Amino acid sequence: MRQQVTLALTAGEPAGIGPELCLQLARDQRQHGIVAVACKHLLQARADLLGLAVELEDWQPGTPAATAPGRLSVLHVEGLASTVAGRLDPANSAYVVETLRIAARGCLNGMFDGMVTASVHKGVINDAGINFSGHTEFLQELCGVERVVMMLATEELRVALVTTHLPLKDVAAAITPERLSQVTRILDADMRKFFGLERPRILVAGLNPHAGEGGHLGREEIDIIEPALNKLRCEGIALTGPLPADTLFTPHWLDNADAVLAMYHDQGLPVLKFQGFGRAVNITLGLPIVRTSVDHGTALDLAGTGKADGGSLKTAIRVGAQMATSAKRETFE
Ligand SMILES: NC(=O)c1ccc[n+]([C@@H]2O[C@H](COP(=O)([O-])OP(=O)(O)OC[C@H]3O[C@@H](n4cnc5c(N)ncnc54)[C@H](O)[C@@H]3O)[C@@H](O)[C@H]2O)c1
Ligand SMILES: N[C@H](C(=O)O)[C@H](O)COP(=O)(O)O
């Protein structure tokens, strides 16, 4: 019998905290079917290291995933070279990327209702000669869509980004009318689709200090951002901005908004992580599949200690299941 929602959970970087967070999760009763897409020897080795009594069960597509405490369904992925907690090994990188590919393809072909990702280490994947800037960009390419949007969210704040994993020196050139329009439309549409907002109210940050100070501190607001926002307003999207980013994240603005659209990674994410690190979710909008993730990285310093906090993974699973349920409802309506 097929469960209501079955999520693929990729365990991420083998040397990081991902494998143990998957095991920690399996200690409790789960509401949704969760299938760890990972090497079962890695999970067993980490369970042994931490003394976690979790029974790993081979999962067969089309069957219910384990939800009982102490049991975890696993879709085994071959190719792991080493399993030492805290020590990166480029020889593991192809395996890591393969877990993502299997989970994403499983979502595209209906085997899974969505995927939740533990963190990967972008550096070691690139060290292995694989061009990889993040799950977000990888899934955009795998799913064959032109644009996706990274959004991190807590219960109180949602922050989406116009640009993602880009060197700061390249950000200004990437803020084009076309990108701004695509990102804003995706943000508006997916907040309606997945979060039930009838007309999401979006605050848009400027790029330059003080949103350009009338052109004296940069012209991107006047030449690119304002004209693009004006066109989008004519489509019915509720936009405020461009606002100075330093004062945008204050109750005056946030109390009457549903999301913030920041121009670049470290304009928006430090605020979100200061507000809710450890309980936030990273969501990829604009994909034909549901994908959520944790708000933290591989935390190599904690791997193998059992001290990593699983709060964000729980949020990622809860939000992923909620989005998958909304997507299914839309399909059947
Ligand atoms: N979703 C993802 O795949 C993802 C997200 C962010 C960063 N990363 C990657 O992770 C790697 C390391 O990044 P970083 O060092 O900037 O960030 P990090 O989140 O791994 O670590 C930052 C600090 O937070 C702590 N921390 C992180 N997760 C924690 C948890 N669950 N419980 C308790 N403490 C926790 C760490 O111990 C460290 O002190 C990089 O390669 C980065 O690209 C991946
Ligand atoms: N920007 C994300 C964060 O800071 O949490 C992180 O790098 C993960 O990105 P992907 O989901 O694209 O791997």
Side-chain angles (χ1 to χ4, degrees):
M1 199 186 69
R2 181 80 196 270
Q3 280 163 332
Q4 233 181 350
V5 169
T6 304
L7 299 172
L9 170 60
T10 55
E13 165 54 44
I17 58 175
E20 61 210 65
L21 292 182
C22 297
L23 292 161
Q24 274 180 24
L25 189 85
R27 287 186 305 184
D28 299 325
Q29 176 76 38
R30 276 134 287 152
Q31 211 185 331
H32 306 287
I34 291 168
V35 178
V37 180
C39 172
K40 62 183 176 190
H41 308 302
L42 165 69
L43 294 173
Q44 190 60 60
R46 197 62 61 86
D48 293 345
L49 178 70
L50 294 172
L52 294 173
V54 175
E55 202 177 315
L56 304 174
E57 300 177 356
D58 284 318
W59 180 73
Q60 302 300 331
T63 64
T67 52
R71 293 169 58 200
L72 180 63
S73 294
V74 181
L75 182 59
H76 174 66
V77 179
E78 297 280 351
L80 193 75
S82 62
T83 63
V84 184
R87 194 186 306 154
L88 294 170
D89 181 353
N92 284 334
S93 296
Y95 149 84
V96 170
V97 173
E98 185 61 10
T99 63
L100 304 182
R101 214 174 269 126
I102 289 171
R105 288 190 180 141
C107 293
L108 286 168
N109 71 25
M111 187 158 74
F112 300 118
D113 299 306
M115 64 188 279
V116 178
T117 58
S119 47
V120 300
H121 195 284
K122 301 171 186 63
V124 77
I125 298 176
N126 282 280
D127 288 344
I130 302 169
N131 186 15
F132 183 93
S133 53
H135 292 88
T136 307
E137 300 83 353
F138 175 83
L139 293 172
Q140 172 178 326
E141 194 179 333
L142 187 144
C143 292
V145 289
E146 197 182 337
R147 186 73 62 204
V148 294
V149 177
M150 183 190 296
M151 181 171 88
L152 271 78
T154 62
E155 289 288 335
E156 304 85 16
L157 181 64
R158 298 185 187 96
V159 177
L161 306 178
V162 176
T163 57
T164 53
H165 297 119
L166 213 56
L168 193 52
K169 69 177 175 51
D170 297 334
V171 166
I175 311 285
T176 60
E178 190 189 31
R179 184 191 282 254
L180 260 173
S181 305
Q182 289 173 330
V183 166
T184 308
R185 287 188 191 115
I186 290 171
L187 177 59
D188 178 69
D190 275 11
M191 289 220 291
R192 292 172 198 252
K193 173 175 168 183
F194 291 118
F195 303 106
L197 295 162
E198 267 181 40
R199 191 164 179 256
R201 298 159 302 171
I202 300 169
L203 302 176
V204 183
L207 174 66
N208 296 296
H210 309 170
E213 193 82 35
H216 297 288
L217 289 176
R219 289 202 55 86
E220 283 83 358
E221 288 77 7
I222 293 172
D223 295 340
I224 296 165
I225 303 175
E226 279 173 13
L229 298 193
N230 284 337
K231 279 192 186 161
L232 292 160
R233 286 186 183 105
C234 294
E235 296 174 16
I237 303 181
L239 299 169
T240 303
L243 296 168
D246 61 346
T247 47
L248 183 163
F249 292 97
T250 55
H252 170 76
W253 293 112
L254 295 177
D255 285 353
N256 296 302
D258 298 303
V260 173
L261 182 59
M263 291 293 138
Y264 58 95
H265 193 278
D266 288 358
Q267 182 183 62
L269 296 192
V271 184
L272 186 289
K273 293 193 183 187
F274 181 68
Q275 193 260 340
F277 188 56
R279 57 189 176 85
V281 54
N282 173 351
I283 305 168
T284 313
L285 304 175
L287 287 172
I289 63 174
V290 167
R291 181 263 172 164
T292 63
S293 189
V294 291
D295 64 4
H296 54 79
T298 48
L300 297 175
D301 52 333
L302 293 182
T305 66
K307 291 183 185 159
D309 185 274
S312 175
L313 181 58
K314 284 188 184 152
T315 309
I317 288 172
R318 179 174 53 74
V319 175
Q322 177 195 325
M323 291 174 68
T325 306
S326 301
K328 279 180 141 184
R329 203 177 294 133
E330 195 169 77
T331 308
F332 291 117
E333 272 173 8

